Amino acid sequence: MSIPPCIKVGSRIQVKSDIGTVLYIGPTSNDSGNWLGVEWDDPNRGKHDGLHHGTRYFQCKDADPYDPENDVGLLYLGGNTNIEVETVGFEKVQRKQSQLSSLKVVGLSERSISSAGEVGEIKKADLYIQDIDLSRNLINSWNTVADITSQLPHLLYLRLNHSRLTAPPTDISSLYSNTISPFAHLTALSLNNTNITWADLLLVEPLFEQLTNLQMGKNNLTFLWGKEIPHENVFKKLKCLNLESNELDDWNEILPLGQLKSLEKLFLNDNKLCKLQTRVPDTFQKLTLLWLDTNQINSWECISELDTFSTLVDLRCKRNSIFEGLGVEEGLAQIVGRIRSVSIVNGNTIDSKKRTDLERYYLSQCTQNRDTHDEIAAIHPRYRELCKVHGEPDLSTATNTKISTVLMDKLTRAVFKHYSLSPEALNSCSYAKDLPSPIKEAEKRILPTMLIRNIRKIIQKLLMVPADEQQLFLVHYLQTDTNEQSIVVMDISDDKKDLRHYGITEGDEIFVLNKA
């Protein structure tokens, strides 16, 4: 079998379930016949990176080091009847599936589509498609994408995930249909796992006049802008940007995104960001959601920086090194205490009562190892503000020396109190005076390293409440400037955690409620 004339360098081909891009066509020095050099989308599919018997025929972007033992040759077409290469046009798929004419959402992933088909055929079908998935096909150029979308006048959402497109033409006017941009009507574009660079995307950005949602995850992006890439007056209507699972490690690459005037949601999970420097005026003015899970954020000063985002409501930043060794509530307190606007943190809704508890607990933690209020305010930017709301902590009674691991392992006095309350009623109490009298109480010295499941056994003996019927809450007492004792309530029902995880200190109380 000879190589079909439609197959050229840059063509996308599919062999069984594997898709790749042709990077070489021709003979090799040690073999007869015609050969294709293919960069497979799955890097585990290829045997080498284009270096064959000492001669380089092409270069893969991602490849393991050359291993002669695994070098079994390029993809051979001449005479090999076991290999099929079939490409089809979009219009052929449309003819096979007549129901497309009535659908608004259409999935055509993995259909070996490589072109728009016969000129004008899609337009003749008068399709009303608004959302189309063309992922994992054989489309290899922006020209082909433009040929398809220009014939779908109602299209709003285009998905091209797992595609491999060549760089856009230098003159993007060649993509126009008459005088109309082929993407002028699109509001959402998904380019996950396409290896498209930010620079290439900006070349076609003027064509996406209505774009509000852009997905650019898993594209091996290490930088966005560079020195010569403009970042002003681009993506004027973009509200949602996904850059998850890339290789971004410099917040200076993120800062220019703050000039996107409409940006509301920014997804940066699973990158390599470690330092956040946000204090640039008039940036991120509408940002409400920021997700930073699984990065390398290593200082609380970075979290404090996010307080400059005055509209930020939803923040995720789990699996960063600053949270190592902290309990859930302690982590929440650090975030809520440092960022005034957030109301959803790591998926937890922070209502006014929860915010009050967390801010008071944060204030109590601010006093650790500090002698004066000025010293505390120097490293906790919101300290003065929070003191005005909740009162200044009494530094004379604060623990000003770091509790060592040895001391933490010693016995701590705890008071156990059994209440006839619901969790909702308990959480509605802001001050000690709001609490009713307990049914029964007992005091015991315990190890902070004890697991909650063992604490339940102690409570069962002391208060006669069966272990499987207990709902447990750790209660911290804080002294306010009005000499009233406010309380911070923390759910400690996780049997696999120990008391140290929840930050128990001398004199704390454990409230025991009956399960409903």
Side-chain angles (χ1 to χ4, degrees), residues 2 25 136 169 174 186 188 201 217 233 243-244 256 286 289 308 338 344 352 354 369 386 390 404 490 511-512:
S2 63
I25 300 176
R136 294 183 185 274
S174 64
L186 287 179
L201 183 63
N233 299 318
L243 291 170
E244 293 181 340
K286 292 187 177 181
L289 179 149
T308 61
R338 293 170 185 272
I344 303 174
S352 58
K354 185 75 169 178
N369 304 314
L386 294 176
H390 304 295
S404 69
M490 187 184 307
F511 285 13
V512 184

Side-chain angles (χ1 to χ4, degrees), residues 24 26-33 35-37 47-59 66-76:
Y24 175 78
T28 65
S29 58
N30 297 320
D31 302 284
S32 60
W35 296 80
L36 292 183
K47 298 298 183 181
H48 55 77
D49 67 351
L51 183 66
H52 180 58
H53 292 312
T55 301
R56 178 162 297 285
Y57 296 92
F58 61 95
Q59 177 67 61
Y66 177 67
D67 184 354
E69 294 183 1
N70 288 328
D71 188 351
V72 297
L74 307 177
L75 175 61
Y76 182 54

Side-chain angles (χ1 to χ4, degrees), residues 366-379:
C366 288
T367 63
Q368 299 296 319
N369 304 314
R370 304 297 166 190
D371 296 324
T372 68
H373 294 294
D374 289 338
E375 188 179 1
I376 296 171
I379 60 174

Side-chain angles (χ1 to χ4, degrees), residues 4 189 256 316 328 386 418 421 432 450-451 456 495 516:
L189 177 64
R316 293 183 71 100
V328 174
L386 294 176
H418 182 201
L421 286 173
M450 292 186 68
L451 296 176
R456 294 184 188 277
D495 284 349

